Amino acid sequence: MTTIDTVDIAVIGAGLGGAAAAALLIDAGFDVHCFEQAPEFTRLGAGIHIGPNVMKIFRKIGLEDRLADIGAHPDFWFSRDGTTGEYLSRIPLGDHAKKEYGAPYITIHRGDLHAEQIDALPKNRVHFDHRLTEIEERDNDVLMTFANGRQIAARIVIGADGINSLLREKLLGKERPRYSGWIGHRALVNMDKLRASGLEFETCVKWWWEQSRHVMAYATKRDGSEYYYVTGVPVDNWPHEEGFVDSSREEMEAIFGGGHPMVQALIDATETVTKWPFWNRDPLNLWSRGRMCLLGDACHPMRPHMAQGACMAIEDAAVLTRCLTETGIGDYANAFDIYENTRRDRATKVQTISNANTWLKEPEDPAWVYAYDPMTATLG
Ligand code: FAD
């Protein structure tokens, strides 16, 4: 890696939002470098939905077809009663999404998506093993200090550093995110055991019980060879120090056992399952200050029940790139204002509905989310 002393734009964090911001800003011709604390990324067992709103951004990045080849294409998002199996809603996706919303709706392994995003970036623009530890705004730039001892100055800094963002802390002060009172279990199920049940599993289905407890289950590969579930369960507190801990089939049985046979088959096919606390923050009253601004979970973390958290991070990246392109980097203050004006209402609305866990439980029109085009939407 070449030594860099100054860059125009530093993106902190190469997660789903940061990697998208780096790709779009590089494509727009900016001098951008992305700094990531992890030494490398691994394929953790988790899936993710990517809506048509964000596939349009991947079209611009040049990844839409590749992701559409890898991911599964649900024809519907079904909501079903977890005990009786009764259908509560059938939200058309598949060809309907392509035609009505302008791009496919896919469900995909998060690691596969992220690997494609990182591979699409020039190697000399992503710097792993760079954990930002200090940041100081000076008259003409921002000085960043990393745990590996490097110091780099940037004209502007974008905080895509997730829910525990150091950039957010710098702008708004130290404050731990709030435990939301909910946890989720995540598992890739054993496909042989799942197939042995003889049941036909829908590509994307959310099973619901009282108190909005749920199991969201979906395929993460186009050929149906991988199937994943994530739950939502209210739990009073998270007593663990770790970000996630092991769970077990027995625990799944204790919470969801005795339900519909398809849910039972999911539990029976569970071998490795982890559980995660869901953290939260209220909407922030400041998205940027001076030469620093926030995007994604650093700015508007949410419980994951609308499957749009990363999508909002990637939409932020697209809109911020458009704003900087329009104003030029010299007028970053104006760009940050337009960015916040364009993003605030939409991100806050998604954050609120996602936290409420009501999305698509009953028939509703999701066009305001999926038909939105962040590449052409009016800038605020
Ligand atoms: P992150 O993905 O958290 O990335 C932040 C990056 O910054 C990380 O790589 C981190 O290592 C790095 N970093 C942090 N601090 C530093 C530092 N000091 N220096 C350098 N690097 C640093 N969203 C969807 O759109 N669809 C879904 O289906 C979906 N399902 C979900 C299911 C679950 C169970 C959960 C928990 C979330 C889900 N989400 C989903 C939400 C989504 O995962 C997040 O909203 C998304 O990852 C946020 O992206 P981000 O880039 O803002 O932050």
Side-chain angles (χ1 to χ4, degrees), residues 7-22 25 32-38 41 114 118 121 125-136 142-147 150-170 291-299 313 317 320:
V7 299
D8 277 349
I9 304 180
V11 177
I12 306 299
L16 302 178
L25 288 162
V32 188
H33 286 260
C34 189
F35 301 94
E36 166 57 47
Q37 65 182 3
F41 290 126
H114 200 192
I118 298 294
L121 292 170
R125 302 295 190 98
V126 192
H127 307 280
F128 286 97
D129 222 348
H130 276 67
R131 181 166 64 83
L132 183 71
T133 53
E134 280 172 49
I135 185 156
E136 178 196 352
V142 180
L143 181 66
M144 300 172 293
T145 305
F146 294 90
R150 288 189 74 188
Q151 285 198 307
I152 297 164
R155 289 175 72 189
I156 61 172
V157 181
I158 299 169
D161 47 347
I163 188 158
N164 293 304
S165 167
L166 188 73
L167 261 284
R168 193 215 66 85
E169 188 178 313
K170 183 75 185 170
R291 295 173 178 273
M292 298 179 276
C293 87
L294 303 174
L295 68 71
D297 276 12
C299 193
L320 181 56

Side-chain angles (χ1 to χ4, degrees), residues 21 23 98 101 106 139 143-144 150 152 160 229 258 276 285 303 312 342:
K98 286 191 215 160
Y101 310 140
I106 64 163
D139 285 347
L143 181 66
M144 300 172 293
R150 288 189 74 188
I152 297 164
Y229 67 76
W276 304 64
N285 55 22
R303 272 165 47 191
M312 288 303 110
T342 311

Side-chain angles (χ1 to χ4, degrees), residues 11 13-24 34 36 41 47-50 54 57-58 61 108-118 121 160-162 186 295-297 309-315 317:
V11 177
L16 302 178
L24 291 159
C34 189
E36 166 57 47
F41 290 126
I48 194 159
H49 300 229
I50 295 296
V54 163
I57 302 172
F58 284 126
I61 296 175
I108 187 167
H109 193 291
R110 195 187 167 96
D112 292 345
L113 165 69
H114 200 192
E116 291 295 330
Q117 286 190 258
I118 298 294
L121 292 170
D161 47 347
R186 289 162 136 178
L295 68 71
D297 276 12
C311 290
M312 288 303 110
I314 297 167
E315 284 193 5

Side-chain angles (χ1 to χ4, degrees), residues 83-95:
T83 306
T84 65
E86 177 199 347
Y87 285 86
L88 309 173
S89 74
R90 292 180 168 87
I91 308 296
L93 299 172
D95 287 343

